[in-house]
PDB file of all heavy atoms in Angstrom:
ATOM      1  N   VAL A 708       9.076  -9.908   8.561  1.00 98.00           N
ATOM      2  CA  VAL A 708       7.665  -9.573   8.422  1.00 98.00           C
ATOM      3  C   VAL A 708       6.955  -9.797   9.757  1.00 98.00           C
ATOM      4  O   VAL A 708       7.297 -10.705  10.515  1.00 98.00           O
ATOM      5  CB  VAL A 708       6.993 -10.408   7.310  1.00 98.00           C
ATOM      6  CG1 VAL A 708       7.588 -10.071   5.955  1.00 98.00           C
ATOM      7  CG2 VAL A 708       7.100 -11.904   7.582  1.00 98.00           C
ATOM      8  N   HIS A 709       5.962  -8.954  10.016  1.00 97.00           N
ATOM      9  CA  HIS A 709       5.182  -9.093  11.246  1.00 97.00           C
ATOM     10  C   HIS A 709       4.205 -10.250  11.147  1.00 97.00           C
ATOM     11  O   HIS A 709       3.963 -10.979  12.112  1.00 97.00           O
ATOM     12  CB  HIS A 709       4.427  -7.794  11.532  1.00 97.00           C
ATOM     13  CG  HIS A 709       3.711  -7.786  12.847  1.00 97.00           C
ATOM     14  ND1 HIS A 709       2.399  -8.210  12.981  1.00 97.00           N
ATOM     15  CD2 HIS A 709       4.122  -7.422  14.084  1.00 97.00           C
ATOM     16  CE1 HIS A 709       2.034  -8.093  14.249  1.00 97.00           C
ATOM     17  NE2 HIS A 709       3.053  -7.610  14.934  1.00 97.00           N
ATOM     18  N   ASP A 710       3.607 -10.419   9.965  1.00 95.00           N
ATOM     19  CA  ASP A 710       2.702 -11.542   9.710  1.00 95.00           C
ATOM     20  C   ASP A 710       2.761 -11.843   8.211  1.00 95.00           C
ATOM     21  O   ASP A 710       3.398 -11.131   7.431  1.00 95.00           O
ATOM     22  CB  ASP A 710       1.270 -11.242  10.155  1.00 95.00           C
ATOM     23  CG  ASP A 710       0.776  -9.886   9.678  1.00 95.00           C
ATOM     24  OD1 ASP A 710       1.164  -9.470   8.554  1.00 95.00           O
ATOM     25  OD2 ASP A 710       0.013  -9.236  10.402  1.00 95.00           O
ATOM     26  N   GLY A 711       2.107 -12.915   7.809  1.00 95.00           N
ATOM     27  CA  GLY A 711       2.126 -13.292   6.407  1.00 95.00           C
ATOM     28  C   GLY A 711       3.450 -13.910   5.999  1.00 95.00           C
ATOM     29  O   GLY A 711       4.301 -14.247   6.825  1.00 95.00           O
ATOM     30  N   ASP A 712       3.632 -14.033   4.667  1.00 97.00           N
ATOM     31  CA  ASP A 712       4.821 -14.699   4.143  1.00 97.00           C
ATOM     32  C   ASP A 712       5.567 -13.858   3.111  1.00 97.00           C
ATOM     33  O   ASP A 712       6.409 -14.374   2.383  1.00 97.00           O
ATOM     34  CB  ASP A 712       4.438 -16.049   3.517  1.00 97.00           C
ATOM     35  CG  ASP A 712       3.516 -15.893   2.303  1.00 97.00           C
ATOM     36  OD1 ASP A 712       3.139 -14.747   1.962  1.00 97.00           O
ATOM     37  OD2 ASP A 712       3.173 -16.926   1.694  1.00 97.00           O
ATOM     38  N   GLY A 713       5.270 -12.566   3.072  1.00 98.00           N
ATOM     39  CA  GLY A 713       5.964 -11.676   2.150  1.00 98.00           C
ATOM     40  C   GLY A 713       5.428 -11.670   0.735  1.00 98.00           C
ATOM     41  O   GLY A 713       5.921 -10.918  -0.118  1.00 98.00           O
ATOM     42  N   SER A 714       4.404 -12.478   0.446  1.00 97.00           N
ATOM     43  CA  SER A 714       3.937 -12.604  -0.941  1.00 97.00           C
ATOM     44  C   SER A 714       3.331 -11.308  -1.470  1.00 97.00           C
ATOM     45  O   SER A 714       3.445 -11.008  -2.664  1.00 97.00           O
ATOM     46  CB  SER A 714       2.939 -13.754  -1.061  1.00 97.00           C
ATOM     47  OG  SER A 714       1.836 -13.564  -0.204  1.00 97.00           O
ATOM     48  N   GLU A 715       2.675 -10.520  -0.612  1.00 98.00           N
ATOM     49  CA  GLU A 715       2.087  -9.261  -1.075  1.00 98.00           C
ATOM     50  C   GLU A 715       3.183  -8.266  -1.454  1.00 98.00           C
ATOM     51  O   GLU A 715       3.083  -7.569  -2.479  1.00 98.00           O
ATOM     52  CB  GLU A 715       1.181  -8.667  -0.001  1.00 98.00           C
ATOM     53  CG  GLU A 715       0.543  -7.329  -0.351  1.00 98.00           C
ATOM     54  CD  GLU A 715      -0.453  -7.401  -1.506  1.00 98.00           C
ATOM     55  OE1 GLU A 715      -0.761  -8.509  -1.986  1.00 98.00           O
ATOM     56  OE2 GLU A 715      -0.912  -6.328  -1.943  1.00 98.00           O
ATOM     57  N   VAL A 716       4.226  -8.188  -0.659  1.00 98.00           N
ATOM     58  CA  VAL A 716       5.353  -7.318  -1.001  1.00 98.00           C
ATOM     59  C   VAL A 716       5.970  -7.766  -2.316  1.00 98.00           C
ATOM     60  O   VAL A 716       6.280  -6.948  -3.193  1.00 98.00           O
ATOM     61  CB  VAL A 716       6.400  -7.321   0.127  1.00 98.00           C
ATOM     62  CG1 VAL A 716       7.661  -6.580  -0.304  1.00 98.00           C
ATOM     63  CG2 VAL A 716       5.832  -6.681   1.392  1.00 98.00           C
ATOM     64  N   LEU A 717       6.141  -9.063  -2.484  1.00 98.00           N
ATOM     65  CA  LEU A 717       6.730  -9.587  -3.717  1.00 98.00           C
ATOM     66  C   LEU A 717       5.858  -9.268  -4.934  1.00 98.00           C
ATOM     67  O   LEU A 717       6.358  -8.858  -5.990  1.00 98.00           O
ATOM     68  CB  LEU A 717       6.923 -11.093  -3.583  1.00 98.00           C
ATOM     69  CG  LEU A 717       7.644 -11.819  -4.707  1.00 98.00           C
ATOM     70  CD1 LEU A 717       9.026 -11.217  -4.959  1.00 98.00           C
ATOM     71  CD2 LEU A 717       7.756 -13.296  -4.387  1.00 98.00           C
ATOM     72  N   ARG A 718       4.548  -9.411  -4.780  1.00 97.00           N
ATOM     73  CA  ARG A 718       3.634  -9.099  -5.883  1.00 97.00           C
ATOM     74  C   ARG A 718       3.756  -7.635  -6.285  1.00 97.00           C
ATOM     75  O   ARG A 718       3.811  -7.292  -7.479  1.00 97.00           O
ATOM     76  CB  ARG A 718       2.193  -9.407  -5.472  1.00 97.00           C
ATOM     77  CG  ARG A 718       1.157  -9.143  -6.569  1.00 97.00           C
ATOM     78  CD  ARG A 718      -0.261  -9.336  -6.067  1.00 97.00           C
ATOM     79  NE  ARG A 718      -0.659  -8.333  -5.100  1.00 97.00           N
ATOM     80  CZ  ARG A 718      -1.053  -7.101  -5.415  1.00 97.00           C
ATOM     81  NH1 ARG A 718      -1.095  -6.714  -6.697  1.00 97.00           N
ATOM     82  NH2 ARG A 718      -1.404  -6.242  -4.471  1.00 97.00           N
ATOM     83  N   LEU A 719       3.815  -6.749  -5.305  1.00 98.00           N
ATOM     84  CA  LEU A 719       3.910  -5.328  -5.591  1.00 98.00           C
ATOM     85  C   LEU A 719       5.265  -4.963  -6.186  1.00 98.00           C
ATOM     86  O   LEU A 719       5.356  -4.071  -7.038  1.00 98.00           O
ATOM     87  CB  LEU A 719       3.645  -4.527  -4.317  1.00 98.00           C
ATOM     88  CG  LEU A 719       2.196  -4.575  -3.824  1.00 98.00           C
ATOM     89  CD1 LEU A 719       2.085  -4.047  -2.397  1.00 98.00           C
ATOM     90  CD2 LEU A 719       1.287  -3.773  -4.761  1.00 98.00           C
ATOM     91  N   CYS A 720       6.320  -5.647  -5.753  1.00 98.00           N
ATOM     92  CA  CYS A 720       7.628  -5.430  -6.378  1.00 98.00           C
ATOM     93  C   CYS A 720       7.545  -5.696  -7.873  1.00 98.00           C
ATOM     94  O   CYS A 720       8.079  -4.938  -8.694  1.00 98.00           O
ATOM     95  CB  CYS A 720       8.680  -6.340  -5.743  1.00 98.00           C
ATOM     96  SG  CYS A 720       9.284  -5.791  -4.136  1.00 98.00           S
ATOM     97  N   ARG A 721       6.866  -6.757  -8.233  1.00 96.00           N
ATOM     98  CA  ARG A 721       6.743  -7.102  -9.655  1.00 96.00           C
ATOM     99  C   ARG A 721       5.891  -6.079 -10.403  1.00 96.00           C
ATOM    100  O   ARG A 721       6.192  -5.722 -11.541  1.00 96.00           O
ATOM    101  CB  ARG A 721       6.178  -8.506  -9.787  1.00 96.00           C
ATOM    102  CG  ARG A 721       7.198  -9.570  -9.382  1.00 96.00           C
ATOM    103  CD  ARG A 721       6.628 -10.952  -9.352  1.00 96.00           C
ATOM    104  NE  ARG A 721       7.690 -11.932  -9.094  1.00 96.00           N
ATOM    105  CZ  ARG A 721       7.520 -13.098  -8.516  1.00 96.00           C
ATOM    106  NH1 ARG A 721       6.307 -13.454  -8.108  1.00 96.00           N
ATOM    107  NH2 ARG A 721       8.536 -13.919  -8.328  1.00 96.00           N
ATOM    108  N   GLU A 722       4.853  -5.586  -9.749  1.00 97.00           N
ATOM    109  CA  GLU A 722       4.036  -4.554 -10.393  1.00 97.00           C
ATOM    110  C   GLU A 722       4.839  -3.280 -10.639  1.00 97.00           C
ATOM    111  O   GLU A 722       4.580  -2.542 -11.593  1.00 97.00           O
ATOM    112  CB  GLU A 722       2.808  -4.242  -9.539  1.00 97.00           C
ATOM    113  CG  GLU A 722       1.744  -5.328  -9.547  1.00 97.00           C
ATOM    114  CD  GLU A 722       0.474  -4.900  -8.841  1.00 97.00           C
ATOM    115  OE1 GLU A 722       0.409  -3.734  -8.372  1.00 97.00           O
ATOM    116  OE2 GLU A 722      -0.451  -5.725  -8.745  1.00 97.00           O
ATOM    117  N   LEU A 723       5.814  -3.034  -9.770  1.00 97.00           N
ATOM    118  CA  LEU A 723       6.664  -1.848  -9.920  1.00 97.00           C
ATOM    119  C   LEU A 723       7.776  -2.064 -10.938  1.00 97.00           C
ATOM    120  O   LEU A 723       8.574  -1.150 -11.189  1.00 97.00           O
ATOM    121  CB  LEU A 723       7.275  -1.483  -8.567  1.00 97.00           C
ATOM    122  CG  LEU A 723       6.303  -0.969  -7.495  1.00 97.00           C
ATOM    123  CD1 LEU A 723       6.992  -0.888  -6.145  1.00 97.00           C
ATOM    124  CD2 LEU A 723       5.718   0.376  -7.888  1.00 97.00           C
ATOM    125  N   GLY A 724       7.848  -3.264 -11.516  1.00 96.00           N
ATOM    126  CA  GLY A 724       8.874  -3.548 -12.510  1.00 96.00           C
ATOM    127  C   GLY A 724      10.216  -3.903 -11.926  1.00 96.00           C
ATOM    128  O   GLY A 724      11.248  -3.803 -12.606  1.00 96.00           O
ATOM    129  N   CYS A 725      10.228  -4.335 -10.675  1.00 96.00           N
ATOM    130  CA  CYS A 725      11.471  -4.703 -10.014  1.00 96.00           C
ATOM    131  C   CYS A 725      12.109  -5.897 -10.710  1.00 96.00           C
ATOM    132  O   CYS A 725      11.424  -6.791 -11.203  1.00 96.00           O
ATOM    133  CB  CYS A 725      11.180  -5.041  -8.550  1.00 96.00           C
ATOM    134  SG  CYS A 725      12.644  -5.439  -7.561  1.00 96.00           S
ATOM    135  N   ARG A 726      13.419  -5.951 -10.713  1.00 94.00           N
ATOM    136  CA  ARG A 726      14.129  -7.091 -11.274  1.00 94.00           C
ATOM    137  C   ARG A 726      13.827  -8.337 -10.442  1.00 94.00           C
ATOM    138  O   ARG A 726      13.391  -8.261  -9.292  1.00 94.00           O
ATOM    139  CB  ARG A 726      15.632  -6.835 -11.282  1.00 94.00           C
ATOM    140  CG  ARG A 726      16.250  -6.635  -9.894  1.00 94.00           C
ATOM    141  CD  ARG A 726      17.750  -6.663  -9.932  1.00 94.00           C
ATOM    142  NE  ARG A 726      18.233  -7.953 -10.425  1.00 94.00           N
ATOM    143  CZ  ARG A 726      19.522  -8.296 -10.458  1.00 94.00           C
ATOM    144  NH1 ARG A 726      20.444  -7.446 -10.053  1.00 94.00           N
ATOM    145  NH2 ARG A 726      19.880  -9.478 -10.903  1.00 94.00           N
ATOM    146  N   GLU A 727      14.058  -9.502 -11.012  1.00 94.00           N
ATOM    147  CA  GLU A 727      13.816 -10.757 -10.294  1.00 94.00           C
ATOM    148  C   GLU A 727      14.763 -10.883  -9.103  1.00 94.00           C
ATOM    149  O   GLU A 727      15.927 -10.472  -9.174  1.00 94.00           O
ATOM    150  CB  GLU A 727      14.005 -11.949 -11.225  1.00 94.00           C
ATOM    151  CG  GLU A 727      12.978 -12.038 -12.341  1.00 94.00           C
ATOM    152  CD  GLU A 727      11.670 -12.655 -11.868  1.00 94.00           C
ATOM    153  OE1 GLU A 727      11.422 -12.716 -10.649  1.00 94.00           O
ATOM    154  OE2 GLU A 727      10.886 -13.074 -12.734  1.00 94.00           O
ATOM    155  N   PHE A 728      14.269 -11.467  -8.027  1.00 95.00           N
ATOM    156  CA  PHE A 728      15.105 -11.736  -6.867  1.00 95.00           C
ATOM    157  C   PHE A 728      14.496 -12.871  -6.067  1.00 95.00           C
ATOM    158  O   PHE A 728      13.336 -13.239  -6.248  1.00 95.00           O
ATOM    159  CB  PHE A 728      15.262 -10.484  -5.996  1.00 95.00           C
ATOM    160  CG  PHE A 728      13.979  -9.971  -5.380  1.00 95.00           C
ATOM    161  CD1 PHE A 728      13.607 -10.334  -4.091  1.00 95.00           C
ATOM    162  CD2 PHE A 728      13.150  -9.104  -6.075  1.00 95.00           C
ATOM    163  CE1 PHE A 728      12.430  -9.864  -3.513  1.00 95.00           C
ATOM    164  CE2 PHE A 728      11.975  -8.619  -5.519  1.00 95.00           C
ATOM    165  CZ  PHE A 728      11.614  -8.998  -4.233  1.00 95.00           C
ATOM    166  N   VAL A 729      15.302 -13.430  -5.189  1.00 95.00           N
ATOM    167  CA  VAL A 729      14.837 -14.434  -4.239  1.00 95.00           C
ATOM    168  C   VAL A 729      14.443 -13.701  -2.959  1.00 95.00           C
ATOM    169  O   VAL A 729      15.212 -12.881  -2.447  1.00 95.00           O
ATOM    170  CB  VAL A 729      15.933 -15.475  -3.949  1.00 95.00           C
ATOM    171  CG1 VAL A 729      15.496 -16.432  -2.844  1.00 95.00           C
ATOM    172  CG2 VAL A 729      16.286 -16.244  -5.224  1.00 95.00           C
ATOM    173  N   LEU A 730      13.258 -13.977  -2.452  1.00 97.00           N
ATOM    174  CA  LEU A 730      12.793 -13.347  -1.217  1.00 97.00           C
ATOM    175  C   LEU A 730      12.765 -14.365  -0.091  1.00 97.00           C
ATOM    176  O   LEU A 730      12.134 -15.418  -0.208  1.00 97.00           O
ATOM    177  CB  LEU A 730      11.395 -12.762  -1.403  1.00 97.00           C
ATOM    178  CG  LEU A 730      10.754 -12.169  -0.146  1.00 97.00           C
ATOM    179  CD1 LEU A 730      11.541 -10.952   0.344  1.00 97.00           C
ATOM    180  CD2 LEU A 730       9.297 -11.785  -0.400  1.00 97.00           C
ATOM    181  N   ALA A 731      13.447 -14.046   0.997  1.00 98.00           N
ATOM    182  CA  ALA A 731      13.359 -14.834   2.217  1.00 98.00           C
ATOM    183  C   ALA A 731      12.627 -13.997   3.253  1.00 98.00           C
ATOM    184  O   ALA A 731      13.186 -13.042   3.804  1.00 98.00           O
ATOM    185  CB  ALA A 731      14.747 -15.226   2.721  1.00 98.00           C
ATOM    186  N   ALA A 732      11.357 -14.315   3.472  1.00 98.00           N
ATOM    187  CA  ALA A 732      10.527 -13.582   4.433  1.00 98.00           C
ATOM    188  C   ALA A 732      10.616 -14.270   5.786  1.00 98.00           C
ATOM    189  O   ALA A 732      10.324 -15.464   5.895  1.00 98.00           O
ATOM    190  CB  ALA A 732       9.088 -13.524   3.953  1.00 98.00           C
ATOM    191  N   ILE A 733      11.016 -13.527   6.802  1.00 98.00           N
ATOM    192  CA  ILE A 733      11.291 -14.083   8.120  1.00 98.00           C
ATOM    193  C   ILE A 733      10.285 -13.528   9.117  1.00 98.00           C
ATOM    194  O   ILE A 733      10.228 -12.308   9.342  1.00 98.00           O
ATOM    195  CB  ILE A 733      12.715 -13.726   8.585  1.00 98.00           C
ATOM    196  CG1 ILE A 733      13.739 -14.153   7.529  1.00 98.00           C
ATOM    197  CG2 ILE A 733      13.019 -14.345   9.948  1.00 98.00           C
ATOM    198  CD1 ILE A 733      15.032 -13.371   7.607  1.00 98.00           C
ATOM    199  N   ARG A 734       9.500 -14.388   9.711  1.00 98.00           N
ATOM    200  CA  ARG A 734       8.580 -13.970  10.768  1.00 98.00           C
ATOM    201  C   ARG A 734       9.227 -14.323  12.099  1.00 98.00           C
ATOM    202  O   ARG A 734       9.321 -15.490  12.469  1.00 98.00           O
ATOM    203  CB  ARG A 734       7.223 -14.663  10.607  1.00 98.00           C
ATOM    204  CG  ARG A 734       6.143 -14.058  11.488  1.00 98.00           C
ATOM    205  CD  ARG A 734       4.755 -14.517  11.072  1.00 98.00           C
ATOM    206  NE  ARG A 734       4.549 -15.938  11.318  1.00 98.00           N
ATOM    207  CZ  ARG A 734       4.336 -16.845  10.381  1.00 98.00           C
ATOM    208  NH1 ARG A 734       4.309 -16.501   9.111  1.00 98.00           N
ATOM    209  NH2 ARG A 734       4.141 -18.105  10.695  1.00 98.00           N
ATOM    210  N   PRO A 735       9.720 -13.321  12.837  1.00 98.00           N
ATOM    211  CA  PRO A 735      10.478 -13.613  14.059  1.00 98.00           C
ATOM    212  C   PRO A 735       9.598 -14.127  15.186  1.00 98.00           C
ATOM    213  O   PRO A 735       8.372 -13.990  15.158  1.00 98.00           O
ATOM    214  CB  PRO A 735      11.103 -12.266  14.411  1.00 98.00           C
ATOM    215  CG  PRO A 735      10.175 -11.253  13.825  1.00 98.00           C
ATOM    216  CD  PRO A 735       9.611 -11.879  12.581  1.00 98.00           C
ATOM    217  N   ARG A 736      10.249 -14.686  16.162  1.00 98.00           N
ATOM    218  CA  ARG A 736       9.538 -15.254  17.318  1.00 98.00           C
ATOM    219  C   ARG A 736       8.759 -14.182  18.060  1.00 98.00           C
ATOM    220  O   ARG A 736       7.609 -14.366  18.435  1.00 98.00           O
ATOM    221  CB  ARG A 736      10.570 -15.912  18.242  1.00 98.00           C
ATOM    222  CG  ARG A 736      10.040 -16.503  19.535  1.00 98.00           C
ATOM    223  CD  ARG A 736      11.204 -17.010  20.354  1.00 98.00           C
ATOM    224  NE  ARG A 736      12.236 -15.978  20.468  1.00 98.00           N
ATOM    225  CZ  ARG A 736      13.455 -16.211  20.935  1.00 98.00           C
ATOM    226  NH1 ARG A 736      13.811 -17.425  21.298  1.00 98.00           N
ATOM    227  NH2 ARG A 736      14.325 -15.222  21.025  1.00 98.00           N
ATOM    228  N   CYS A 737       9.383 -13.025  18.296  1.00 98.00           N
ATOM    229  CA  CYS A 737       8.717 -11.909  18.981  1.00 98.00           C
ATOM    230  C   CYS A 737       9.150 -10.607  18.322  1.00 98.00           C
ATOM    231  O   CYS A 737      10.303 -10.192  18.456  1.00 98.00           O
ATOM    232  CB  CYS A 737       9.056 -11.894  20.470  1.00 98.00           C
ATOM    233  SG  CYS A 737       8.241 -10.532  21.363  1.00 98.00           S
ATOM    234  N   TRP A 738       8.260  -9.983  17.610  1.00 98.00           N
ATOM    235  CA  TRP A 738       8.545  -8.782  16.823  1.00 98.00           C
ATOM    236  C   TRP A 738       9.167  -7.684  17.677  1.00 98.00           C
ATOM    237  O   TRP A 738      10.215  -7.124  17.333  1.00 98.00           O
ATOM    238  CB  TRP A 738       7.247  -8.309  16.186  1.00 98.00           C
ATOM    239  CG  TRP A 738       7.296  -7.084  15.352  1.00 98.00           C
ATOM    240  CD1 TRP A 738       6.979  -5.819  15.740  1.00 98.00           C
ATOM    241  CD2 TRP A 738       7.654  -6.996  13.964  1.00 98.00           C
ATOM    242  NE1 TRP A 738       7.113  -4.947  14.679  1.00 98.00           N
ATOM    243  CE2 TRP A 738       7.523  -5.648  13.579  1.00 98.00           C
ATOM    244  CE3 TRP A 738       8.058  -7.933  13.013  1.00 98.00           C
ATOM    245  CZ2 TRP A 738       7.792  -5.205  12.288  1.00 98.00           C
ATOM    246  CZ3 TRP A 738       8.326  -7.493  11.721  1.00 98.00           C
ATOM    247  CH2 TRP A 738       8.193  -6.151  11.381  1.00 98.00           C
ATOM    248  N   ASN A 739       8.540  -7.345  18.803  1.00 97.00           N
ATOM    249  CA  ASN A 739       9.007  -6.218  19.612  1.00 97.00           C
ATOM    250  C   ASN A 739      10.340  -6.486  20.297  1.00 97.00           C
ATOM    251  O   ASN A 739      11.104  -5.554  20.556  1.00 97.00           O
ATOM    252  CB  ASN A 739       7.966  -5.864  20.678  1.00 97.00           C
ATOM    253  CG  ASN A 739       6.770  -5.125  20.112  1.00 97.00           C
ATOM    254  OD1 ASN A 739       6.699  -4.849  18.918  1.00 97.00           O
ATOM    255  ND2 ASN A 739       5.816  -4.818  20.967  1.00 97.00           N
TER     256      ASN A 739
END
């Protein structure tokens, strides 16, 4: 992820009816 902690993506996955999963959101040291 560029910023944040992935929670918005996870919320939307659930709204789409996605199966349960473990999310590891990684914010790298330098995106580019």
Side-chain angles (χ1 to χ4, degrees):
V708 295
H709 186 269
D710 48 35
D712 64 358
S714 58
E715 178 66 6
V716 172
L717 186 56
R718 181 186 68 79
L719 290 166
C720 282
R721 288 173 174 153
E722 287 188 2
L723 292 170
C725 183
R726 62 169 299 186
E727 294 279 17
F728 63 95
V729 174
L730 175 65
I733 306 156
R734 192 166 67 244
R736 177 184 50 192
C737 180
W738 179 263
N739 285 359

